[in-house]
Amino acid sequence: RQALGELPQPRITFNYLGQFDGSFDVGEETGLFAPSGDASGAEQSADAPLGNWLEINGQVYGGELKLNWNFSRQMFAEATVQRLADDYAEELKTLIDHCCVSTNHGVTPSDFPLARLSQTQLDELPVAASEVEDLYPLSPMQQGMLFQSLYSQGGDYINQMRIDVQGLDVPRFRQAWQAAVDKHEILRSGFLWQTELEQPLQVVYKQVRVPLTELDWQGRSNCVDALDHLAESTRARGFVLEQAPLLSLSVVRTGASDYHVIYTNHHILMDGWSGSQLFGEVLQHYAGEPVRAPLGRYRDYIAWLQ
């Protein structure tokens, strides 16, 4: 107590409220209450004593940083505080410019709290920080599938579906799948299990292109056997679990308006119910129908498990 009492009395209070959006927004929909831009008047009497010589209150809302500077005009000239605020803004812009240089990009453990990694572990991950959107552990079911996939080196968890389609618009089909991948983090996820990690992790990549192979086999005499061979070889090849996406599509044109679609994916991404929902969303995108906003994210489930 004596040591603390002998310290200089701090005369600046800096109160940063962080990302204020999270207090009001629910997913893509606005909650019941939201901050108003209307003036609310003075929060306290002009005769009330200040909490400190200078108070700075800040928050981010709607992508905008706002800082309020509170002081007594009997102690400081307004121009003095204005110069301080302007200098602060210049320093902040300099910091932003520094962070926008690609060579200065980096992440810290606080960027991925569910992963519970040290800075050293994070720096040693075999992925570029600029490509990573999120990192978090696997669910128990995923852990089991990862272990079995690595142990057996087989295709037990490689799922495949084949469909004959008439009149398929391939570019629109590709766009529909890309929209689904962009929307769902699990479809942009790969898996890491290096020995220096205490537990396996799934890494969500910011951007992933859907691997769709388009072939034209019209008039081919052995088309049925060739399709069987293509499907089997695709399934046998499997996936590199560290690299997303762990799904692929082959679209083979077999006639003037006939197509054969081979969809292959790793079971570690989703169960059967989720697969049905995914196909429903793809068909909605393909038809130009509105798709329901996601009700949650997979990381929310992992956080709940923790």
Side-chain angles (χ1 to χ4, degrees):
R1 180 181 300 178
Q2 180 180 355
L4 290 175
E6 294 173 353
L7 293 176
Q9 178 68 29
R11 292 304 181 185
I12 299 177
T13 299
F14 187 88
N15 183 27
Y16 176 60
L17 300 176
Q19 299 282 345
F20 218 53
D21 308 62
S23 301
F24 300 96
D25 294 346
V26 180
E28 297 183 0
E29 300 180 2
T30 303
L32 180 61
F33 294 98
S36 170
D38 298 332
S40 58
E43 297 182 1
Q44 63 187 48
S45 169
D47 298 328
L50 294 177
N52 215 336
W53 290 1
L54 179 63
E55 290 185 351
I56 306 172
N57 295 286
Q59 66 184 41
V60 172
Y61 185 78
E64 182 177 82
L65 171 64
K66 182 178 181 180
L67 295 173
N68 292 322
W69 301 67
N70 302 315
F71 62 97
S72 170
R73 286 189 174 89
Q74 297 180 6
M75 179 170 290
F76 300 112
E78 186 171 350
T80 301
V81 178
Q82 184 64 57
R83 284 198 304 270
L84 177 60
D86 291 342
D87 289 344
Y88 187 98
E90 287 301 318
E91 290 292 335
L92 188 57
K93 291 176 182 177
T94 301
L95 178 62
I96 293 172
D97 290 340
H98 170 82
C99 292
C100 287
V101 177
S102 59
T103 55
N104 296 329
H105 286 180
V107 291
T108 67
S110 63
D111 292 312
F112 312 117
L114 298 181
R116 299 176 181 175
L117 295 175
S118 67
Q119 186 65 57
T120 300
Q121 290 174 317
L122 198 55
D123 294 338
E124 292 178 351
L125 290 180
V127 292
S130 59
E131 300 176 359
V132 178
E133 179 177 309
D134 209 344
L135 282 166
Y136 41 80
L138 285 63
S139 69
M141 181 69 77
Q142 286 180 308
Q143 291 183 33
M145 290 184 182
L146 177 63
F147 172 79
Q148 292 291 345
S149 297
L150 296 173
Y151 179 76
S152 65
Q153 296 294 320
D156 294 342
Y157 291 107
I158 305 298
N159 296 332
Q160 193 172 77
M161 180 168 62
R162 298 172 61 179
I163 312 167
D164 288 318
V165 186
Q166 286 190 323
L168 183 67
D169 186 333
V170 179
R172 188 146 53 107
F173 189 60
R174 184 194 300 270
Q175 291 175 359
W177 273 100
Q178 188 63 54
V181 170
D182 294 341
K183 177 181 177 183
H184 296 290
E185 292 94 336
I186 190 65
L187 301 182
R188 288 181 275 113
S189 296
F191 298 84
L192 308 175
W193 60 91
Q194 281 69 19
T195 55
E196 60 269 16
L197 297 176
E198 297 178 4
Q199 59 181 338
L201 295 174
Q202 44 193 325
V203 51
V204 181
Y205 292 92
K206 293 178 180 178
Q207 293 182 327
V208 169
R209 290 185 61 83
V210 174
L212 189 151
T213 302
E214 187 176 359
L215 302 171
D216 190 344
W217 287 359
Q218 296 181 78
R220 188 164 180 167
S221 58
N222 61 339
C223 190
V224 174
D225 293 338
L227 288 172
D228 290 341
H229 177 73
L230 175 62
E232 182 57 34
S233 61
T234 301
R235 187 177 182 278
R237 183 167 62 250
F239 300 96
V240 178
L241 291 171
E242 302 99 312
Q243 300 175 5
L246 301 183
L247 59 86
S248 67
L249 291 146
S250 295
V251 178
V252 184
R253 189 171 186 177
T254 57
S257 61
D258 298 329
Y259 295 83
H260 188 76
V261 176
I262 303 173
Y263 167 63
T264 311
N265 75 289
H266 200 292
H267 195 24
I268 199 171
L269 298 182
M270 70 192 91
D271 59 9
W273 289 103
S274 300
S276 298
Q277 287 185 318
L278 173 61
F279 253 83
E281 285 190 11
V282 169
L283 293 177
Q284 283 180 291
H285 276 292
Y286 182 83
E289 300 174 359
V291 178
R292 185 182 66 179
L295 299 178
R297 298 174 299 170
Y298 196 67
R299 79 179 314 276
D300 299 333
Y301 173 59
I302 300 298
W304 177 79
L305 286 176
Q306 287 191 352

